[in-house]
Amino acid sequence: MLTSMRFTMVSTYLAIIVTTLVLMTIYVIGLLSENLYSAETVNMFAKANIISEIISDGWGSDMSAVSSEEFASVVEQSLAGTSIRGVVTNMSYSVMYDTNEESDLIGRVFMRDVMKRALDGEQADTITDAENDMRLVSVAVPIKESGNVIGCVYLADSVNAIDDTIRSTRASLIVFSTLIIILIGMLSLGMSSIITSPLHEFQDAAREISKGNFTKRVNAKGSNEIAQMGETLNYMCDELGQLEEKRRKFVSDASHELKTPMAGIKLICDSLVSAENLDYEVVKEFLSDMSDEVDRLTRIVERLLVLTKLDAGVSSLNAEEVHIKTLISQVAKKLTPIATSKDIVIYTDYHDIDFAPALMDYDKIYETVYNIADNAIKYSPEGGFVHVDVNVDGSDMIIKIEDNGPGIPESERDRIFERFYRLDDSRARDTGGTGLGLAIAKEAVAMHGGTIEVTNASEVGSIFTIRLPYRTIGG
């Protein structure tokens, strides 16, 4: 694929250069030809007009054979030092003078198209092919006396020298263009190699990544687009490596969490099977323990399913008008029996604010507040408190949940939102915790465009602060 890409790049560069050079050569040769032919034509017109003026002024309308001998010197002097042939005729196309004595045209009729146009009063020029591969440029101007045409001056000269100059220039341009094409081809090949060489490394890295090797890195040097692509690939490898590590940890933790209640159930079943003459009360106690383990297993599975939906993007917000006071009251009511059993007081504070119904997903926010408050009750000492405070800060709704538990070390505050993470693993298992509640809470708040953070209270305990955009129907 990279070989094809390199070939395409080189071919494209060469096609552009060849097209440019061909067009440039055509333009230069055309411009050179036009200028050279034009310069020659202008020069011959100048000489022909001089001869015409002198003949007209000196000899008037006398275009006899005798007078032609008089203006012969004028024609010869005007054309001295050139290879231009000069012919002077009268209105009958009879040659009065011809610089080419070998042709013996004096007194004879000599006709050319440009001469006819000259005798009609115009100045004319043309380029024609003559014998022996010779090309001629011819001009003809009228000779006038008192406004009347009495004859014409015809000049002709070979343009073979001009054609040779044009051919030489064309050959030089072709050679020059060929050298440029070769040079550009070599440079293009080199540049394409420089560009595509890192892509080989990217290709190898991509193959390794597809095999699950996220430790592969590419050497990204400089600040150009290729280097940026390499940095992006390395960043992707880092992210995939972290995701893979999280996946492995998640699978390991999930397996461990599921294994624990299943091991408990297996132990109870084995005890029941191996025991003889069991008392009804003992069997009932075993079955009660088994039921607790099944409930714990169910909670883990349910929360894993919730996280799976959140990760897959299947779960979406069911935004509706929610009275936040009602939601908090429902959470407090649901947790009151658990709090009462530990002599813990749950109280709320709304700062006498008349909250307008907020647009949010009731179930997700309910579960978020419930999970945090439930953790606060579980980790608070007997006779403690859980304080739920609801307030408004600009365009945000702030929900704070404070307890007087042991607090959370600063080094652990970010990790408590990780899945299956527990500060006190043995205590969490005793309370039936799955280590997934805070992870679900964080995902639910993030789906609302909010944030959740934890700080320690001034003396003891922790404060969880949930910040949600306060959106209303009319707002």
Side-chain angles (χ1 to χ4, degrees):
M1 182 183 70
L2 293 179
T3 303
S4 176
M5 180 180 176
R6 184 179 300 176
F7 175 77
T8 301
M9 292 175 64
V10 174
S11 300
T12 302
Y13 291 150
L14 289 180
I16 294 173
I17 294 301
V18 169
T19 302
T20 302
L21 290 175
V22 168
L23 293 177
M24 183 190 72
T25 300
I26 293 174
Y27 174 76
V28 170
I29 294 300
L31 185 63
L32 179 65
S33 300
E34 181 180 355
N35 288 338
L36 291 177
Y37 288 135
S38 177
E40 181 67 15
T41 302
V42 169
N43 179 54
M44 293 177 66
F45 268 127
K47 294 182 181 297
N49 279 300
I50 291 173
I51 295 172
S52 173
E53 290 292 333
I54 294 176
I55 292 175
S56 175
D57 293 341
W59 288 270
S61 59
D62 183 11
M63 294 296 289
S64 62
V66 176
S67 64
S68 66
E69 295 178 0
E70 300 295 333
F71 55 71
S73 59
V74 174
V75 177
E76 291 177 357
Q77 290 176 4
S78 298
L79 303 180
T82 69
S83 60
I84 300 174
R85 178 186 180 183
V87 177
V88 179
T89 69
N90 58 18
M91 289 295 293
S92 301
Y93 296 99
S94 293
V95 176
M96 308 303 298
Y97 181 76
D98 182 6
T99 56
N100 186 1
E101 298 178 355
E102 295 179 0
S103 62
D104 193 24
L105 290 179
I106 296 177
R108 297 182 181 181
V109 174
F110 181 71
M111 296 182 64
R112 293 289 186 272
D113 289 340
V114 292
M115 295 172 62
K116 181 178 181 305
R117 291 163 60 189
L119 292 176
D120 289 337
E122 302 178 13
Q123 294 192 13
D125 66 275
T126 186
I127 297 177
T128 57
D129 293 327
E131 297 178 355
N132 300 323
D133 296 327
M134 182 179 291
R135 279 164 42 85
L136 299 175
V137 57
S138 305
V139 300
V141 299
I143 302 174
K144 296 182 179 180
E145 169 62 25
S146 300
N148 297 319
V149 178
I150 59 175
C152 75
V153 176
Y154 170 82
L155 302 182
D157 192 15
S158 171
V159 291
N160 283 5
I162 295 177
D163 292 340
D164 290 342
T165 300
I166 293 173
R167 280 192 293 269
S168 175
T169 304
R170 183 186 295 113
S172 298
L173 286 175
I174 291 174
V175 172
F176 178 71
S177 298
T178 303
L179 293 176
I180 290 179
I181 291 171
I182 295 173
L183 179 62
I184 294 297
M186 295 173 64
L187 291 175
S188 300
L189 187 61
M191 288 297 296
S192 64
S193 298
I194 293 174
I195 293 173
T196 57
S197 292
L199 298 183
H200 281 290
E201 189 177 0
F202 296 167
Q203 198 174 51
D204 294 339
R207 290 196 184 99
E208 291 297 317
I209 292 171
S210 66
K211 296 176 183 177
N213 179 14
F214 302 126
T215 61
K216 183 69 176 179
R217 296 293 183 272
V218 297
N219 187 16
K221 295 181 179 179
S223 59
N224 55 28
E225 288 78 2
I226 299 295
Q228 292 174 8
M229 187 186 302
E231 292 174 356
T232 302
L233 185 61
N234 289 338
Y235 175 77
M236 184 184 70
C237 288
D238 292 336
E239 292 296 309
L240 289 174
Q242 294 177 14
L243 288 175
E244 177 64 13
E245 183 63 28
K246 289 180 179 179
R247 185 191 68 81
R248 290 177 180 175
K249 186 176 184 303
F250 178 78
V251 171
S252 175
D253 291 342
S255 300
H256 182 71
E257 290 295 329
L258 294 172
K259 181 180 179 181
T260 302
M262 292 175 67
I265 295 172
K266 179 70 166 61
L267 179 61
I268 294 171
C269 290
D270 290 344
S271 299
L272 288 173
V273 171
S274 61
E276 297 180 359
N277 302 320
L278 286 174
D279 184 75
Y280 173 76
E281 292 299 328
V282 175
V283 174
K284 186 177 180 181
E285 182 181 353
F286 278 170
L287 292 177
S288 177
D289 292 340
M290 185 184 295
S291 178
D292 292 340
E293 294 297 331
V294 171
D295 289 340
R296 182 179 174 188
L297 184 61
T298 301
R299 287 196 300 273
I300 294 174
V301 172
E302 287 177 347
R303 294 199 165 186
L304 286 175
L305 289 175
V306 170
L307 285 172
T308 301
K309 290 181 180 179
L310 291 174
D311 289 340
V314 174
S315 181
S316 59
L317 288 178
N318 181 23
E320 57 182 325
E321 287 188 308
V322 175
H323 293 272
I324 192 65
K325 290 183 180 181
T326 303
L327 185 148
I328 298 298
S329 297
Q330 291 293 328
V331 172
K333 181 179 179 181
K334 184 71 176 293
L335 290 174
T336 295
I338 302 175
T340 302
S341 66
K342 293 184 64 176
D343 195 22
I344 292 175
V345 178
I346 301 177
Y347 65 97
T348 58
D349 187 359
Y350 303 109
H351 301 276
D352 295 327
I353 298 175
D354 186 15
F355 293 95
L359 287 175
M360 60 178 65
D361 190 311
Y362 182 93
D363 292 335
K364 287 184 173 58
I365 299 303
Y366 177 93
E367 187 172 13
T368 297
V369 177
Y370 181 93
N371 286 340
I372 297 174
D374 183 43
N375 278 348
I377 293 172
K378 290 176 181 176
Y379 288 97
S380 293
E382 292 186 2
F385 69 87
V386 174
H387 176 208
V388 182
D389 180 279
V390 184
N391 208 336
V392 175
D393 180 15
S395 60
D396 292 338
M397 177 180 290
I398 310 298
I399 304 174
K400 291 185 178 180
I401 303 171
E402 182 180 357
D403 62 61
N404 64 337
I408 301 172
E410 186 175 354
S411 59
E412 305 292 330
R413 290 176 191 170
D414 290 334
R415 298 198 62 193
I416 61 173
F417 295 102
E418 294 179 6
R419 300 168 186 185
F420 297 112
Y421 182 77
R422 298 184 180 90
L423 284 173
D424 188 345
D425 195 66
S426 61
R427 185 176 179 183
R429 295 186 192 281
D430 292 339
T431 59
T434 62
L436 298 173
L438 291 181
I440 293 174
K442 185 176 182 180
E443 293 287 345
V445 171
M447 289 182 68
H448 283 79
T451 59
I452 181 171
E453 60 181 10
V454 60
T455 56
N456 281 350
S458 57
E459 296 181 359
V460 293
S462 303
I463 301 175
F464 282 80
T465 302
I466 303 170
R467 182 180 291 270
L468 297 170
Y470 191 9
R471 302 187 183 97
T472 60
I473 291 293

